[in-house]
């Protein structure tokens, strides 16, 4: 994390198409993340995050790459007062997060035998900032929840 990058890899016993669905379908993302994304998933398109009723929108909050079943990348969200209130984040912490550089997250989806390898690279952090510590603890939990949901769901 000293270089401002978080990398995390997991293998999920589902198809790449199912992993893609887990990353992009708001009915699924809300189940493991508590977040719905409002976007068409086309590069350059704006993304609106709705995390527990705290919406955040910003022209710089966009899809960077969208190659179905292979790669998804976007800029990290904007820390709005509505977001902070919905998640119980103090105004002081929200203001501190808002001063840090906007980061990017990329998901690489690779078939590997009967499984799919999902690698997340979240970069652009201030290595000494608050956000990198928050995200480094959150990504393993999110991906573990995604893995459990996809592997135990009968929806295809």
């Amino acid at each position: 994390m000293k270089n401002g990058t978080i990398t995390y890899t997991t293998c999920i016993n589902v198809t790449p198409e199912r992993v893609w669905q887990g990353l992009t379908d708001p009915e699924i993302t809300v189940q493991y993340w508590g977040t719905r994304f409002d976007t068409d998933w086309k590069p350059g398109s704006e993304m609106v995050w709705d995390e527990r009723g705290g919406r955040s929108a910003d022209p710089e909050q966009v899809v960077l790459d969208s190659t179905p079943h292979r790669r998804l990348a976007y800029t990290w969200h904007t820390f709005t007062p509505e977001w902070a209130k919905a998640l119980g984040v103090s105004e002081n912490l929200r203001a501190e997060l808002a001063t840090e550089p906007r980061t990017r997250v990329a998901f690489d989806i690779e078939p590997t035998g009967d499984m799919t390898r999902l690698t997340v690279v979240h970069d652009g952090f201030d290595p000494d900032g608050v956000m990198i510590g928050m995200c480094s603890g959150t990504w393993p939990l999110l991906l573990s929840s995604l893995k459990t949901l996809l592997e135990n769901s009968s929806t295809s």
Side-chain angles (χ1 to χ4, degrees), residues 20-35:
W20 178 265
Q21 184 183 24
L23 295 172
T24 60
D25 183 331
E27 296 307 315
I28 297 175
T29 60
V30 74
Q31 291 180 58
Y32 70 91
W33 194 328
T35 302

Side-chain angles (χ1 to χ4, degrees), residues 11-129:
C11 288
I12 306 175
N13 194 20
V14 297
T15 65
E17 291 80 9
R18 186 72 173 127
V19 171
W20 178 265
Q21 184 183 24
L23 295 172
T24 60
D25 183 331
E27 296 307 315
I28 297 175
T29 60
V30 74
Q31 291 180 58
Y32 70 91
W33 194 328
T35 302
R36 293 176 184 272
F37 300 106
D38 183 10
T39 184
D40 61 11
W41 295 114
K42 293 178 183 173
S45 291
E46 195 170 326
M47 294 177 66
V48 176
W49 290 50
D50 185 339
E51 194 167 8
R52 300 181 197 146
R55 293 179 60 83
S56 66
D58 187 283
E60 293 181 24
Q61 193 171 280
V62 297
V63 176
L64 299 171
D65 191 353
S66 182
T67 306
H69 319 135
R70 301 292 299 159
R71 182 173 173 79
L72 179 66
Y74 47 85
T75 57
W76 202 241
H77 69 86
T78 304
F79 301 103
T80 65
E82 295 79 15
W83 169 84
K85 182 177 179 183
L87 273 72
V89 173
S90 74
E91 176 54 24
N92 287 342
L93 177 55
R94 186 210 64 82
E96 187 174 353
L97 291 168
T99 67
E100 294 190 24
R102 184 174 303 276
T103 60
R104 297 161 306 279
V105 65
F107 302 88
D108 287 308
I109 304 165
E110 304 170 75
T112 178
D114 292 339
M115 302 182 88
T116 299
R117 179 182 300 119
L118 176 61
T119 301
V120 177
V121 177
H122 193 160
D123 65 4
F125 290 100
D126 172 352
D128 300 318

